[in-house]
Amino acid sequence: MKIERDKVYIDGRGQRHRVVCVDATTEADGYPVIGINDTGGVSTFTSRGAYQVDRQSEYDLVREVKEKQDAYLRAFGFGT
């Protein structure tokens, strides 16, 4: 999966992350993606959406939220 800026992704726990940057230079090389979750928490990811370079994690970004699905969930009081 290619992670793109200004899109929303879901991690393995169901938490939404809005990607604000895909080319960050961080102290820990290999984490160029910066995402902000619905509660304002900031996380970094690899360019493929992995939370950790060397292992799979429930914090990995697993899929993109589609616009239609996002609007439907908001209509019923879920999400922001």
Side-chain angles (χ1 to χ4, degrees):
M1 167 173 65
K2 181 181 178 187
I3 305 298
E4 298 178 47
R5 194 182 82 187
D6 296 328
K7 292 196 175 184
V8 178
Y9 296 86
I10 299 286
D11 68 18
R13 303 168 302 140
Q15 182 82 27
R16 295 163 34 105
H17 298 267
R18 181 173 48 89
V19 172
V20 296
C21 181
V22 294
D23 59 355
T25 304
T26 60
E27 288 181 24
D29 287 337
Y31 296 93
V33 176
I34 298 174
I36 301 174
N37 66 28
D38 286 337
T39 61
V42 177
S43 297
T44 58
F45 302 93
T46 68
S47 58
R48 295 183 182 256
Y51 186 73
Q52 298 177 336
V53 173
D54 59 348
R55 68 184 80 124
Q56 204 170 10
S57 167
E58 65 182 0
Y59 298 99
D60 294 347
L61 301 179
V62 294
R63 68 180 171 87
E64 180 184 344
V65 174
K66 302 294 182 193
E67 293 289 328
K68 190 174 188 179
Q69 175 187 6
D70 186 42
Y72 177 81
L73 291 174
R74 280 187 280 149
F76 288 95
F78 298 101
T80 55

